[in-house]
Amino acid sequence: MFAVHEISSELSVSHIPEICTWNISLESTLLDLPLYNCQIELTQQAKEVAQAFEENSMLPGVILTDRGIFVGILSRRIFFEKVSRRYGLEMFFKRPIEVLYRFSKQEVLVLPGSKLIVEAAQESLYRSAALVYEPVVVEVAPQSYKLLDVHQLMVAQGRIHQLTNKLLQKQTEAKLIQTEKMASLGKIVAGVAHEIRNPLNCIWGNLTFLLSYFENLLQLMSAYEEEYSEPCPRIHAIKEEIEFDFLQEDLPVTLEGMKLGAMQLLKIVNGLHHFSHMDETKPVETDIHECLEITLLILKNRFKNSIELVKNYGELPPVRGYSGQLSQVFLNLLVNAIDALTEYAADREKHAQCLDNWQPQIEITTQVIETANGTWAAILIADNGPGVAPENQQQIFDTFFTTKPAGKGSGMGLAISHQIVTEKHGGQLNLRSHPGENTKFEILLPIVRKT
């Protein structure tokens, strides 16, 4: 049995710190809180419990044991409530504590030490009104128990509530800043695209006339040569100096190359202008394949690292939605796939795992599928990279979640992508990943909704 002086000695060592010194975080458990360890055998007298409460004013209760085995608790409130009643001292004070315990036995809340503080506070408040202020028993190890004061549990929960509010405020501020940046960037890109497109349209439109004028000049030169078969020495010298025969063959080719280059540049500028329309207010009929091609055109430079692109386009009807926002979704998914493949290839090369025939590949598949909920336009973007770890798959769409090291990105854009697909378009964004094999993102956009 425990002697009173042994109990006092143990409690004097277990100093309870001030609230402000607690190291509380959102993931804190009951083991991070001050716990009280005062065990009393059922055979000990009630006056020894009273002495323990008197010597330790913060002690919320005592743990009762039967030959060292946990049987229950006796709180400070219940103890003094019983002994202060009429004849309470005569009935309980000089008798074994077991008598008082049997007389006032109540339901005990026992929680594991690994329980989160927020969850523990919730379970504690779910107790009946008569028990809501009773201490909580914490199992710190198998068959090893300590007591937690409910007041301190509530204070800790309040502290976590404050931390949660601060975190949400920071995330909201960061999201607003990011949204403002994206809106500003979209306006800048739209403005630059507009400024480039004006002179580019001028060049593109005049190239057609330039080719026509050159053909007319060649016809005129041919007519001169037919009429004057013997050119004067001066004309002959000029033709030799400018290499007229080569010029006659090469200039059409040069002009045609300029026309193709201007066409490609016009596509890129139109793509940037289309991509910058993130502030669309009304959904319109959208060509999914056009959105994909515009996004691929913008990312053309990223595919130069030996990443094979496979396109399996099916027949898709127009989808009602926001083309600029859908292009943002495709961009986020493709950039993540490219980054994953690039890092995976570098890691394989570093560890000399290049003996097989693995080649980085991104595959885009589109098709119409029928489900119980209706008809959907399905866009599948898959890569043959390392896949997503199981522990990350559950939080892959969480705001600011990233698998990148600190300082190398605030997120993978999947949270905003999920929001665009689900909230803006009433669709679905699903992840299918087999670690070590591949990652597939499936986008489902409604075509026909069944009621």
Side-chain angles (χ1 to χ4, degrees), residues 33-147:
L33 298 179
L35 301 176
Y36 299 82
N37 185 21
C38 179
Q39 298 186 15
I40 298 289
E41 278 285 326
L42 290 176
T43 55
Q44 290 180 254
Q45 292 184 353
K47 64 179 182 179
E48 298 182 46
V49 177
Q51 185 177 350
F53 284 141
E54 183 180 354
E55 294 178 354
N56 301 275
S57 60
M58 296 186 67
L59 184 64
V62 293
I63 296 174
L64 302 179
T65 59
D66 184 6
R67 286 169 290 187
I69 304 300
F70 172 81
V71 294
I73 68 168
L74 188 63
S75 69
R76 174 187 290 270
R77 181 180 68 87
I78 294 296
F79 177 81
F80 284 108
E81 178 184 319
K82 298 303 180 184
V83 300
S84 62
R85 289 182 178 179
R86 190 175 184 181
Y87 305 117
L89 290 176
E90 292 81 354
M91 290 178 60
F92 304 118
F93 213 62
K94 294 184 179 180
R95 293 184 179 183
I97 194 63
E98 182 178 8
V99 176
L100 194 154
Y101 174 66
R102 302 299 180 191
F103 187 79
S104 60
K105 186 176 180 181
Q106 295 185 0
E107 184 180 353
V108 179
L109 177 61
V110 181
L111 299 175
S114 59
K115 176 76 76 172
L116 292 175
I117 291 175
V118 175
E119 296 175 353
Q122 189 176 31
E123 292 191 35
S124 176
L125 291 173
Y126 281 164
R127 294 182 293 179
S128 65
L131 301 176
V132 72
Y133 294 110
E134 289 293 288
V136 176
V137 178
V138 180
E139 188 175 13
V140 296
Q143 301 303 315
S144 178
Y145 302 92
K146 293 185 180 182
L147 287 182

Side-chain angles (χ1 to χ4, degrees), residues 31 118 133 158 180-181 196 217 263 290 300 308 348 402 444:
L31 295 179
V118 175
Y133 294 110
E180 291 176 1
K181 285 183 178 179
I196 295 177
L217 288 175
M263 182 187 298
E290 182 183 3
K300 185 177 181 180
E308 180 185 6
R348 285 170 58 87
T402 179
L444 298 179

Side-chain angles (χ1 to χ4, degrees), residues 9 157 441:
S9 174
Q157 185 204 28
F441 284 98

